[in-house]
């Protein structure tokens, strides 16, 4: 079996390489049904799309053919240029709307906001000609663009989504859909991803938000709670367990607030895109975490008659924060849609903490029950007991 695996590995790599090369060459070798020939073509990094064009410097026009593979009936595809900014809002788009019978309607749409619905409108530059077709699951939009202000380099966006009620409906929010932005230079044939620094900055902020919150609310908070629960059973750890608990939770809260702030910034920069459940849980965590921070200032002494009620309040909010934190981390994974290894890594951390919790919980009760037996033997009439 091992030898078979060794021989299979290079065959698999060769096969993958062949398929990758074939797909890359398809951009150059693809034959359009109308027999158009384009001097330049690029394979866009996501959504199985390609852009072909002929640039005419004498009159500052460009003939383009945007091709999206794997399209089904009742879907729409779009490609556009964003003249003054990056991203979807402001994009001057070419739209291909595929009906349920497979016919394609081609039109232009200026995206003025997230709720525009890609309605037919004129663009900020002339489009003398636009047509579209669907051939064997590939939608191709053909157009002639009069490039504005003599420019050749622009931010570009492209997208695909479902058709509902005869018009474009909201597209998915997976990683490929969010990263379908970049730049294109029709004169040099160069492209880049992420619309330059703007898109890269947004991705960096999303990743920073995810890392900070997963680390603080999703890992440090549970560890801090475990320190309070399981270290104090050891007499030698008193009062060290308390300072470890406070340090861990305070650090988690500070890092978590920083992650929460990056989330607010992301939300303000992404008007029209809302993740209500993730946002509401995040707000709840910030409020509950802040209440827990003030709990330290309101903590009665052990012999105070209100200490029992304070313990109920402190423990209830603490365990609620941990539960909501873990839920929201997974909500964040669904939104960011990172590589699966990161989600698997977090699941592995949770399993590790859970296994240790079970072991330590059993050991804690073993110690507590043992001490009860010793106290009964030493003081058989006092009825003193200690609970975990």
């Amino acid at each position: 079996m091992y030898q078979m695996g060794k021989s299979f590995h290079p065959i698999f790599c060769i096969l993958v390489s062949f398929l990758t090369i074939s797909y890359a060459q398809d951009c150059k070798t693809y034959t359009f049904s109308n027999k158009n020939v384009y001097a330049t073509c690029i394979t866009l990094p996501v959504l199985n799309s390609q852009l072909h064009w002929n640039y005419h410097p004498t009159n500052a026009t460009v003939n383009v053919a945007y091709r999206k593979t794997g399209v089904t009936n009742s879907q729409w595809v779009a490609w556009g240029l964003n003249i003054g900014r990056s991203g979807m809002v402001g994009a001057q788009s070419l739209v291909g709307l595929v009906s349920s019978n497979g016919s394609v309607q081609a039109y232009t749409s200026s995206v003025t906001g997230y709720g525009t619905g890609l309605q037919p409108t004129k663009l900020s530059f002339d489009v003398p000609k636009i047509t579209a077709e669907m051939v064997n699951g590939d939608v191709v939009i053909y157009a002639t663009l009069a490039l504005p202000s003599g420019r050749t380099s622009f931010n570009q966006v492209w997208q695909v989504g479902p058709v509902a009620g005869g018009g474009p409906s909201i597209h998915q929010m997976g990683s490929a859909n969010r990263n379908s932005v970049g730049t294109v230079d029709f004169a040099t044939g160069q492209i880049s991803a992420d619309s330059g620094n703007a898109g890269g900055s947004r991705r960096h902020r999303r990743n920073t938000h995810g890392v900070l919150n997963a680390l603080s609310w999703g890992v440090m908070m549970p560890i801090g709670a475990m320190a309070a629960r399981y270290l104090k059973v050891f007499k030698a750890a008193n009062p060290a367990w308390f300072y470890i608990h406070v340090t861990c939770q305070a650090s988690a809260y500070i890092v978590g607030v920083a992650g929460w702030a990056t989330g607010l910034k992301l939300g303000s920069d992404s008007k029209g895109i809302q993740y209500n459940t993730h946002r509401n849980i995040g707000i709840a965590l910030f409020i509950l975490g802040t209440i827990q921070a003030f709990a330290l200032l309101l903590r009665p002494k052990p012999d105070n008659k209100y200490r029992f009620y304070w313990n109920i309040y402190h423990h209830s909010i603490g365990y609620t924060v941990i539960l909501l934190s873990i839920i929201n981390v997974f909500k964040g994974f669904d939104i960011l849609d990172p590589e699966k290894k990161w989600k698997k890594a977090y699941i592995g951390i949770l399993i590790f903490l859970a296994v240790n919790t079970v072991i330590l919980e059993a050991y804690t009760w073993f110690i507590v029950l043992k001490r009860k037996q010793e106290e009964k033997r030493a003081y058989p009439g006092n009825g003193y007991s200690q609970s975990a």
Side-chain angles (χ1 to χ4, degrees):
M1 178 65 73
Y2 176 73
Q3 292 297 328
M4 181 179 177
K6 289 176 65 177
S7 61
F8 176 76
H9 182 268
I11 296 174
F12 177 77
C13 292
I14 292 172
L15 178 60
V16 171
S17 300
F18 174 76
L19 292 174
T20 303
I21 293 171
S22 298
Y23 183 77
Q25 289 176 340
D26 190 51
C27 173
K28 298 287 187 182
T29 61
Y30 182 76
T31 302
F32 292 94
S33 63
N34 58 11
K35 306 303 180 183
N36 283 3
V37 177
Y38 296 91
T40 308
C41 77
I42 54 173
T43 297
L44 299 174
V46 293
L47 295 181
N48 298 325
S49 300
Q50 298 170 356
L51 183 65
H52 306 248
W53 73 85
N54 288 321
Y55 171 60
H56 307 287
T58 54
N59 60 2
T61 62
V62 59
N63 299 325
V64 301
Y66 170 71
R67 176 181 171 227
K68 169 72 176 76
T69 65
V71 181
T72 61
N73 293 354
S74 297
Q75 281 192 310
W76 59 265
V77 302
W79 172 88
L81 301 178
N82 204 323
I83 308 302
R85 56 190 295 183
S86 63
M88 184 179 77
V89 176
Q92 307 298 298
S93 305
L94 312 178
V95 182
L97 187 70
V98 185
S99 66
S100 58
N101 62 11
S103 61
V104 186
Q105 175 190 358
Y107 62 89
T108 60
S109 180
S110 179
V111 183
T112 57
Y114 287 101
T116 57
L118 289 179
Q119 300 300 320
T121 58
K122 290 185 177 180
L123 304 187
S124 61
F125 51 83
D126 291 334
V127 182
K129 181 181 180 181
I130 178 171
T131 61
E133 65 177 358
M134 184 173 182
V135 180
N136 298 325
D138 295 354
V139 169
V140 183
I141 303 175
Y142 304 96
T144 299
L145 313 179
L147 300 180
S149 307
R151 291 171 53 187
T152 62
S153 180
F154 302 91
N155 293 319
Q156 66 169 338
V157 295
W158 61 100
Q159 197 55 262
V160 61
V163 172
S169 183
I170 187 170
H171 60 78
Q172 295 181 354
M173 293 302 297
S175 177
N177 300 89
R178 295 196 307 272
N179 293 322
S180 56
V181 295
T183 61
V184 58
D185 192 318
F186 293 114
T188 65
Q190 299 297 312
I191 68 166
S192 67
D194 291 332
S195 295
N197 292 330
S201 176
R202 283 194 299 272
R203 177 183 292 182
H204 177 72
R205 291 200 303 271
R206 289 197 299 264
N207 292 339
T208 300
H209 170 73
V211 170
L212 290 178
N213 285 287
L215 178 64
S216 58
W217 302 103
V219 177
M220 295 175 67
M221 281 287 183
I223 291 177
M226 291 174 65
R229 172 69 178 169
Y230 302 119
L231 289 182
K232 66 181 179 181
V233 73
F234 301 101
K235 295 180 179 180
N238 188 34
W241 70 265
F242 174 75
Y243 297 109
I244 293 174
H245 172 66
V246 170
T247 300
C248 193
Q249 302 302 74
S251 300
Y253 177 73
I254 293 171
V255 175
V257 169
W260 183 70
T262 61
L264 293 179
K265 177 61 177 173
L266 285 170
S268 65
D269 291 344
S270 306
K271 294 180 180 179
I273 300 178
Q274 295 185 353
Y275 302 100
N276 291 328
T277 303
H278 184 67
R279 180 194 63 188
N280 293 338
I281 293 177
I283 293 173
L285 284 173
F286 172 73
I287 294 173
L288 293 174
T290 303
I291 293 175
Q292 281 292 72
F294 282 104
L296 180 63
L297 303 177
L298 303 174
R299 180 172 176 258
K301 293 182 179 181
D303 57 351
N304 189 291
K305 64 179 181 179
Y306 295 110
R307 181 60 179 262
F308 172 77
Y309 302 103
W310 182 91
N311 285 338
I312 295 176
Y313 137 78
H314 184 61
H315 294 164
S316 299
I317 292 181
Y319 290 125
T320 300
V321 166
I322 292 174
L323 178 61
L324 290 178
S325 298
I326 294 173
I327 292 174
N328 220 28
V329 168
F330 283 105
K331 291 288 184 182
F333 277 124
D334 293 338
I335 294 170
L336 285 176
D337 193 25
E339 294 182 32
K340 292 183 178 180
K341 64 180 181 181
W342 298 111
K343 189 174 184 178
K344 290 180 179 178
Y346 182 65
I347 293 175
I349 291 173
L350 291 183
I351 293 175
F352 174 79
L353 294 178
V355 170
N356 280 274
T357 297
V358 171
I359 295 173
L360 291 172
E361 186 71 20
Y363 185 71
T364 296
W365 278 103
F366 171 76
I367 294 295
V368 169
L369 294 176
K370 181 179 178 182
R371 286 176 181 171
K372 284 183 178 181
Q373 294 297 326
E374 292 175 350
E375 289 163 0
K376 286 181 179 180
R377 287 195 296 267
Y379 309 98
N382 69 356
Y384 175 78
S385 65
Q386 178 183 358
S387 61

